[in-house]
Amino acid sequence: MSLDLSEEALAKVTAEIAVTAAQFDRTAELPWPGLWAAHNAGLLTASVGRQFGGPGAGPREVARILTAIGEGDASVGLLAANTLLTHAAQAAGPTWPAETYDDLLRRSKDGPALVNAIRAEPELGAPARGGLPKTTATRTGGGWVLNGRKAYATGGAGLAYHVVWAVADEPDGDPDRPRVGHVVVAGDRPGITWVDTWDHLGLRASNTHDVVYTDVHVPADAFVEIPRGPDGVYRDPAAAAGPGSFGHPALYIGVARAARATFAAFARERVPAALGRPIAQTERIQAVAGEIDLQIVTAETLLHGALLRLEAGDRSILPELSAVKVAIARAVIAATQTAVAALGNPGLSRHHPLERHLRDALCIRVHPPQEDTVLLASGRRILNPEKD
């Protein structure tokens, strides 16, 4: 099927996904209707590489897709982002075993086939903060045996494949410098148990639960080593922004756009008795709407401007990408908070969509690289340019 990324087509998917967003935010169940809407439009496999028979959508196209999905439902947007970014990474530099990736593509034809990198651990916390996982992949004669517990495993039991961050336990390995990598595991393998821990402020339908791996057997090619740096030190690939890391900011821009639309609809419909006309006709509300729009325009321009510079081969922006992500996060939150503050109690009611948009928008802060580490690194880069 051809991939239609026109504004009209994306707006149609946004509207279809939005129909059930509030329902699944309440129940915290996986938002399958929204995922099917994205699947039926071909959006969940848009970034599958042309070498694999896919459309080969690039970073800017993926960003547009995720903004449209996020505007409909942030939880669907997060599940889609993790899946699209996995396909994009495979297209850029194949690391999955060929038969395994073929199986994922076959599953993707039948319905939403979700993928996620399962990285965080209860004791370790965010991998981007440093450290190595306790989860182990033990070498056997015929493959690997995976054991460990992971936290914040977005997608839950709906995942077709897990990409699990683990330390290799090998008979001939160096115990002081073990290999570190990702283990590609089918979600229906025996030994995978889900622990329902997700009861979150936002992204409630994302099913970001804990998962336990108990003697999960996988073939020999399932372990994909993450190379160490030139200095021999392992660095977490999620700790810094890169060209393919703008999927998450893109979906939250969609949340801000949804907040803007919700605010505008309320302002047009709200007619206080003392005023006798819609509050949308007052200068105060018009100025607030302008402020919301300013923040969204800022975020969108930062996102697509950065991607265009990367597309043009401008490598001078690479050290600034993390700061761009922080600026987008600030703009998204500012836009949504401005809308809520202007409406007062209605904007904080569980019966009003704006309350959900605010909760979802705040979740942009948890994605690495996080603000404090970005500001510290940027400050050091500016104050000590000779170390660049």
Side-chain angles (χ1 to χ4, degrees), residues 23-113:
Q23 170 191 341
F24 286 91
D25 175 74
R26 291 275 186 167
T27 65
E29 297 173 352
L30 274 166
W32 287 113
L35 290 166
W36 271 99
H39 167 79
N40 289 336
L43 301 185
L44 295 183
T45 50
S47 59
V48 172
R50 290 189 175 89
Q51 68 268 45
F52 302 111
R60 282 194 298 135
E61 292 171 310
V62 168
R64 291 181 60 238
I65 289 168
L66 290 173
T67 296
I69 295 175
E71 187 173 354
D73 184 340
S75 291
V76 178
L78 181 60
L79 296 163
N82 295 336
T83 300
L84 284 169
L85 296 177
T86 298
H87 285 304
Q90 179 71 0
T95 58
W96 281 48
E99 289 187 9
T100 303
Y101 193 64
D102 285 344
D103 179 64
L104 174 61
L105 295 180
R106 282 193 296 271
R107 297 186 191 212
S108 299
K109 291 180 180 178
D110 297 331

Side-chain angles (χ1 to χ4, degrees), residues 18 36 38 43 99 107 117 127 133 136 177 195 209 249 290 294 335 361 386:
W36 271 99
L43 301 185
E99 289 187 9
R107 297 186 191 212
T136 59
R177 285 168 53 88
V195 184
H209 296 298
L294 171 65
E386 68 278 2

Side-chain angles (χ1 to χ4, degrees), residues 256-257 259-268 279-297 334-343:
R257 289 173 57 168
R260 179 179 60 188
T262 299
F263 175 85
F266 182 92
R268 288 191 293 265
I279 61 173
Q281 296 178 15
T282 66
E283 288 189 356
R284 173 180 175 270
I285 294 299
Q286 290 167 0
V288 170
E291 175 63 27
I292 295 168
D293 194 55
L294 171 65
Q295 297 296 343
I296 294 173
V297 168
T336 314
Q337 287 181 331
T338 298
V340 171
L343 295 191

Side-chain angles (χ1 to χ4, degrees), residues 377-388:
S378 295
R380 287 174 172 170
R381 176 171 54 84
I382 296 301
L383 297 174
N384 300 287
E386 68 278 2
K387 293 186 177 181
D388 285 357

